[in-house]
Amino acid sequence: DAKTTQPTSMDCAEGRAANLPCNHSTISGNEYVYWYRQIHSQGPQYIIHGLKNNETNEMASLIITEDRKSSTLILPHATLRDTAVYYCIVRDYNFGNEKLTFGTGTRLTIIP
Amino acid sequence: EAQVTQNPRYLITVTGKKLTVTCSQNMNHEYMSWYRQDPGLGLRQIYYSMNVEVTDKGDVPEGYKVSRKEKRNFPLILESPSPNQTSLYFCASSYFSGGGNTGELFFGEGSRLTVL
């Protein structure tokens, strides 16, 4: 069973902020939220992760709701190179079940 | 350079001919995993390994075997490949999350396998 659900696809205008939602309503207290993206058929690339606080790095921001049941990845100024499939996963940091489920992700298309 | 290396990158084979896809990482990661990717089905985990000699099934292990005799290597073995194993395969590795590590997965470039 998928532990996260994401919209199948989204469009965003170039230069605007892209907001990608993820639902993880069954997340446990030990689980981090991770985001990856896959450009064409390349290997997925790590973007960002968080536990309960909002996080920001040079690529993106991650907003996690207070109840931790959902999160939003924000690409602040989307470019054409951000067109990719974005995956949200949860991972137990107590070295627990490492059966990681990626699902089908969200296909983000940046429109010129 | 930190990397996960898969070989071969491309392979066309025939039904029943045993093959091995190798995966090697140079980051001393404990965790390694194999995924397959098919159109419309996303990334599905085949097997994973928590450390040397410790492996476990993912969501789609049927028809595959793995071994973890050394920390850096995690080969995927198809004893008798069938056409439904035609897919794009990815190997990934990481430290475990927690203990100051990010738990970030590093992926290989992928191996595209076609079974005729």
Side-chain angles (χ1 to χ4, degrees), chain B:
Chain B
E1 178 189 354
Q3 59 185 2
V4 178
T5 304
Q6 297 179 223
N7 279 296
R9 295 287 314 283
Y10 302 91
L11 180 64
I12 300 174
T13 189
V14 295
T15 299
K17 186 176 181 181
K18 180 179 178 180
L19 68 92
T20 299
V21 186
T22 64
C23 174
S24 181
Q25 50 93 5
N26 63 359
M27 295 165 279
N28 202 35
H29 287 161
E30 299 95 352
Y31 179 83
M32 297 187 75
S33 180
W34 276 102
Y35 293 86
R36 63 176 289 175
Q37 185 170 37
D38 304 288
L41 296 177
L43 281 164
R44 294 182 293 167
Q45 191 177 45
I46 303 171
Y47 270 94
Y48 64 93
S49 171
M50 306 280 274
N51 215 323
V52 174
E53 303 291 1
V54 181
T55 64
D56 210 341
K57 296 177 181 178
D59 292 318
V60 289
E62 295 78 19
Y64 304 94
K65 290 174 63 176
V66 292
S67 69
R68 188 89 181 275
K69 294 184 171 63
E70 304 166 284
K71 199 171 187 179
R72 65 182 292 126
N73 296 322
F74 190 45
L76 180 70
I77 304 157
L78 286 74
E79 293 272 4
S80 182
S82 62
N84 65 13
Q85 292 178 297
T86 292
S87 188
L88 177 60
Y89 291 86
F90 289 101
C91 180
S93 72
S94 79
Y95 294 113
F96 291 122
S97 53
N101 297 313
T102 66
E104 166 190 354
L105 280 166
F106 290 80
F107 282 83
E109 294 182 325
S111 297
R112 189 170 292 281
L113 171 65
T114 301
V115 183
L116 302 175

Side-chain angles (χ1 to χ4, degrees), chain A residues 30-34 36 89-93 97-98 100, chain B residues 31 94-97 102-105:
Chain A
N30 298 330
E31 289 178 319
Y32 281 90
V33 179
Y34 284 81
Y36 292 81
I89 69 167
V90 294
R91 187 175 194 185
D92 189 332
Y93 73 83
N97 181 4
E98 286 294 294
L100 298 177
Chain B
Y31 179 83
S94 79
Y95 294 113
F96 291 122
S97 53
T102 66
E104 166 190 354
L105 280 166

Side-chain angles (χ1 to χ4, degrees), chain A residues 6-81:
Chain A
Q6 301 176 252
T8 302
S9 64
M10 294 180 63
D11 293 338
C12 178
E14 186 178 16
R16 303 296 294 268
N19 296 274
L20 292 90
C22 179
N23 181 291
H24 30 80
S25 58
T26 61
I27 192 170
S28 73
N30 298 330
E31 289 178 319
Y32 281 90
V33 179
Y34 284 81
W35 283 84
Y36 292 81
R37 74 178 180 184
Q38 185 179 26
I39 298 173
H40 297 301
S41 295
Q42 299 173 18
Q45 174 192 23
Y46 166 83
I47 301 173
I48 198 168
H49 77 287
L51 184 62
K52 54 185 176 181
N53 298 320
N54 298 339
E55 302 287 345
T56 296
N57 63 19
E58 65 277 6
M59 291 181 70
S61 295
L62 174 61
I63 308 297
I64 303 174
T65 58
E66 192 169 344
D67 63 7
R68 302 207 327 118
K69 292 185 176 181
S70 65
S71 61
T72 301
L73 178 74
I74 300 172
L75 308 177
H77 304 287
T79 71
L80 297 179
R81 285 177 290 185

